Amino acid sequence: MARPTLSSMLPGIIAAIAFILSLFGGVYCKFLSFTTNGNGGNTPITLSFGIWYYQGWSLVESSIQGTVLLESCMNYPDGVNIDSKWRSARAFSTMTLIIGGVVTFWALLAGCLYPSKQTYKAGGMIYMLCCLFSGLSLLLLDSNACNSVMTTLQDQTQDVNLTFPSSCAMAAGAKCAIAATVMWFVAAIAALKVDPPERSPITVETHDVTYTKTTGADGAAMVSENVVKGEPIAVGGQEKAEEAV
């Protein structure tokens, strides 16, 4: 059985990278960020939030280190106003992970499933759809996320001398979403261009056998056999299946 080549597995490998980037950008709580203005000599604090969660801190009691402050991703409180663009970013991010994840898993198994060229092209079109969905998850940049989160934080930190800026900046999650959009597009082009893994043809070996009967001096009959090895003939495999179709 022929081993899949690197070029034939390239769409699945690129799609796997795109999926990891989409997962990081969609689930991680550092999609956008803003840094507080240090007033009165206070050290500026950088706060981050994502499509589904925001960056928070929690106190953990440790028997060795005592009370430890840990950074964690938390659900948004009920007071956060999520507009239509924010909800759309959540929907498109989820569809990218579900659809892209299923097709990527299938593409990575192409070396065992041996899909046809048309099936590979169909996978490329789905990758292109994931590229669109991943790009639309950036709608969070144009949503009310910054204003809503900052308003909620200001209400919760009235006793703390913190001043929040009026705009947000892209954090690691947003940059990963942009990179994932590019990688989904590259995976789509690769699936449309390269040939899928091919199964080795199943062959049978042919022989030409000649029997010669001779009579000896004593009158006894003798039969001799002459075997000539022929060329292997393909009786199955991917090429044969395509011809049958």
Side-chain angles (χ1 to χ4, degrees):
M1 183 177 293
R3 293 184 178 181
T5 61
L6 178 61
S7 61
S8 63
M9 298 299 297
L10 194 60
I13 297 174
I14 298 176
I17 298 174
F19 176 80
I20 294 173
L21 291 172
S22 295
L23 183 64
F24 187 83
V27 178
Y28 195 42
C29 56
K30 292 186 178 182
F31 197 94
L32 298 174
S33 65
F34 50 85
T35 303
T36 60
N37 298 322
N39 296 331
N42 295 330
T43 303
I45 300 175
T46 300
L47 301 177
S48 303
F49 56 96
I51 297 178
W52 292 96
Y53 308 100
Y54 74 96
Q55 176 190 1
W57 292 268
S58 58
L59 295 176
V60 178
E61 296 293 337
S62 173
S63 59
I64 300 177
Q65 299 179 344
T67 303
V68 180
L69 182 63
L70 295 180
E71 177 184 326
S72 60
C73 293
M74 300 182 177
N75 291 317
Y76 286 103
D78 296 334
V80 176
N81 178 27
I82 301 178
D83 63 357
S84 59
K85 291 183 178 180
W86 193 344
R87 296 181 188 276
S88 297
R90 286 184 168 186
F92 286 121
S93 175
T94 302
M95 287 189 291
T96 301
L97 293 176
I98 294 176
I99 299 175
V102 172
V103 180
T104 299
F105 181 74
W106 164 82
L108 291 176
L109 294 178
C112 301
L113 301 176
Y114 298 103
S116 64
K117 179 62 176 178
Q118 295 301 322
T119 305
Y120 236 39
K121 288 183 177 181
M125 298 305 298
I126 297 178
Y127 287 148
M128 194 68 72
L129 188 65
C130 292
C131 172
L132 175 62
F133 289 163
S134 179
L136 289 174
S137 67
L138 295 172
L139 284 171
L140 186 68
L141 300 175
D142 196 36
S143 68
N144 70 335
C146 287
N147 294 331
S148 181
V149 172
M150 282 188 289
T151 300
T152 302
L153 290 175
Q154 285 176 342
D155 294 339
Q156 295 178 352
T157 58
Q158 293 179 357
D159 299 333
V160 183
N161 187 21
L162 294 177
T163 302
F164 295 91
S166 58
S167 61
C168 301
M170 288 193 303
K175 296 175 182 178
C176 284
I178 295 174
T181 303
V182 176
M183 296 304 292
W184 284 122
F185 180 79
V186 175
I189 297 301
L192 294 174
K193 293 294 185 180
V194 304
D195 293 324
E198 294 185 357
R199 189 191 306 270
S200 298
I202 302 174
T203 61
V204 293
E205 194 173 85
T206 61
H207 301 278
D208 292 331
V209 183
T210 304
Y211 296 95
T212 304
K213 183 178 181 181
T214 59
T215 303
D218 56 356
M222 299 178 59
V223 178
S224 61
E225 180 184 63
N226 183 29
V227 180
V228 179
K229 185 177 179 180
E231 295 293 332
I233 300 177
V235 296
Q238 182 163 330
E239 296 179 357
K240 196 71 177 180
E242 292 178 354
E243 292 177 1
V245 174

